[in-house]
Amino acid sequence: MAASIVGEGRESSEFTGMRHVNLRRDLGAVAELIELCFGATMDEAGRAAVREMRMISQSGPLLWLLAGVDRMAGGLEQGFVYLDRGVLVGNVSVSKAALPRSMGKGHIVANVATHPDYRRQGIAETLMKASLELIGKLKGHYAILQVDAENGAARRLYERLGFSVKRTFIRWQRPNRFRPPLKLMEMPDITLRGRGDWQAEYAIAERVRPNERGGMGWLQPTLPEVFRPSLGNVLGRYLAGKGEEHWIIREPTGRGVAASLSCLTSFGGAAKLTLIVHPSYQGQYEAPLVNYALRRLEGYRAPINIEHPADDVVTTALLDDLGFERRQTWLQMRWEMPVQEGRYDDHR
């Protein structure tokens, strides 16, 4: 499908084609399209983002002050929309990736959505090609995206454009109707993480959750600040009605950390677990940590979620046994900017 990109102020109500997104004009329609296309598989954070987008789109003059709306909208300000006679039927978002500079300049491609009545007409491909061209103009080195493993058409499109799968993640949920398991007959010593343990925890995460393969999960890179406790982070979580604990198992020497499980809770929302185990102790400490967490969360009135790499067969079997249900399987995909002769790779 051929499409031209029109400039600001030149669009008629009958325009059909692609143009850069205009948040003042498009935010409400983009929110509706995202909810229509992804509502059935959205997690709480996604639904909250859509609600916020819709609220801001209805706020009148306030929208003119929202130069920082990109934080909430996931890079919508640098994306594209596709219209059919003035009606928004396609969208793609582009934003900077918050990954270490050593990895180069990366961008996130998200919210690739086409109205169900307009699919198989080349709209998604048109939007994706425009996004990759934009990333090239921004001197980006790579792009990352996430796609539902069951969306074969989208995966084939991305592979055609040069994306490759780096890792598969499963989002699990344990309904709150399930009672916690009985305590295991043999349990290692599990304690709260000490102030000086975050570096050892981060070192394990760097090894088992490398950013090149998706980090801690979608839009959750493996960075020191994720593990480093700070007064600002603690205060921010408290004001937001959230709590966070990190439980660890130490190495037999008593010095290093062999495994950890963090638990993030929020008022009225699902609890979120994150499990990391050093390769030397995989198969030993997953069950004790998850068993401990489920017993600690007894009486919690909301589901318990965990997003974990699908290639960890030990944890996959464990979560199945403990009553966790597979809610969605996601593929983390990456596209590398083609190397051009004479181009200076400024991140190396």
Side-chain angles (χ1 to χ4, degrees):
M1 172 179 292
S4 59
I5 302 179
V6 300
E8 291 293 327
R10 290 173 18 210
E11 178 185 328
S12 74
S13 60
E14 293 298 310
F15 172 72
T16 294
M18 179 178 62
R19 63 164 167 78
H20 291 280
V21 69
N22 181 320
L23 290 184
R24 299 188 186 100
R25 187 189 312 176
D26 301 326
L27 189 57
V30 169
E32 297 294 337
L33 181 64
I34 291 173
E35 185 170 44
L36 174 66
C37 294
F38 306 121
T41 57
M42 275 184 186
D43 58 13
E44 291 182 13
R47 287 191 289 271
V50 168
R51 287 196 300 269
E52 191 173 352
M53 290 164 62
R54 188 177 290 114
M55 178 190 70
I56 292 173
S57 72
Q58 298 169 354
S59 62
L62 175 62
L63 193 56
W64 292 79
L65 304 177
L66 293 174
V69 74
D70 243 15
R71 173 195 60 79
M72 172 277 302
L76 288 173
E77 202 164 43
Q78 285 191 315
F80 298 91
V81 293
Y82 197 98
L83 294 93
D84 176 46
R85 290 171 290 182
V87 178
L88 195 149
V89 297
N91 176 79
V92 64
S93 307
V94 179
S95 60
K96 291 181 181 179
L99 291 168
R101 294 185 63 182
S102 60
M103 292 180 62
K105 188 177 181 181
H107 289 79
I108 296 164
V109 178
N111 302 324
V112 185
T114 304
H115 191 286
D117 294 342
Y118 290 82
R119 290 174 183 166
R120 296 182 177 84
Q121 298 181 30
I123 292 176
E125 184 169 2
T126 297
L127 293 167
M128 283 297 301
K129 286 181 176 178
S131 300
L132 298 181
E133 183 178 348
L134 172 63
I135 291 169
K137 291 178 180 178
L138 295 172
K139 299 183 179 179
H141 299 102
Y142 63 91
I144 56 175
L145 59 76
Q146 178 176 257
V147 62
D148 190 326
E150 295 184 1
N151 191 341
R155 177 177 178 175
R156 288 189 292 272
L157 167 62
Y158 301 145
E159 289 176 339
R160 233 176 19 248
L161 294 173
F163 283 85
S164 59
V165 176
K166 294 302 178 183
R167 202 166 202 178
T168 301
F169 287 79
I170 302 174
R171 189 169 76 228
W172 301 81
Q173 184 173 92
R174 192 175 195 265
N176 59 357
R177 67 178 183 272
F178 290 156
R179 294 185 58 81
L182 297 175
K183 183 179 179 179
L184 297 178
M185 295 293 292
E186 295 185 10
M187 288 285 288
D189 188 24
I190 298 175
T191 63
L192 282 173
R193 184 186 69 178
R195 173 170 290 191
D197 293 324
W198 74 266
Q199 290 174 309
E201 188 182 20
Y202 171 55
I204 299 173
E206 278 193 302
R207 184 163 179 176
V208 300
R209 299 285 190 94
N211 286 315
E212 293 78 6
R213 299 192 63 207
M216 303 303 293
W218 182 236
L219 302 184
Q220 298 178 40
T222 302
L223 298 172
E225 50 264 36
V226 175
F227 299 88
R228 183 191 298 128
S230 70
L231 180 60
N233 288 342
V234 173
L235 181 60
R237 288 195 297 268
Y238 175 78
L239 294 175
K242 297 180 178 180
E244 184 173 3
E245 290 185 329
H246 290 244
W247 302 309
I248 64 170
I249 299 175
R250 297 191 181 278
E251 292 182 330
T253 61
R255 297 180 180 178
V257 174
S260 79
L261 188 147
S262 65
C263 178
L264 179 66
T265 56
S266 58
F267 181 75
K272 181 180 179 182
L273 305 180
T274 301
L275 175 68
I276 56 173
V277 179
H278 190 283
S280 299
Y281 300 97
Q282 287 178 351
Q284 300 179 47
Y285 292 149
E286 294 88 347
L289 278 169
V290 177
N291 176 280
Y292 180 82
L294 294 180
R295 289 186 292 107
R296 281 291 299 265
L297 290 168
E298 183 176 10
Y300 195 74
R301 302 296 183 181
I304 300 171
N305 295 336
I306 183 169
E307 186 172 305
H308 202 78
D311 51 271
D312 183 349
V313 295
V314 171
T315 301
T316 296
L318 172 66
L319 297 176
D320 267 326
D321 289 342
L322 289 173
F324 283 83
E325 301 170 353
R326 301 184 190 215
R327 289 305 175 96
Q328 198 158 21
T329 301
W330 295 99
L331 308 177
Q332 305 275 3
M333 303 188 76
R334 179 175 168 123
W335 171 86
E336 302 288 345
M337 172 64 69
V339 178
Q340 299 176 6
E341 187 175 353
R343 177 181 172 183
Y344 175 63
D345 205 359
D346 56 10
H347 76 289
R348 297 180 184 275

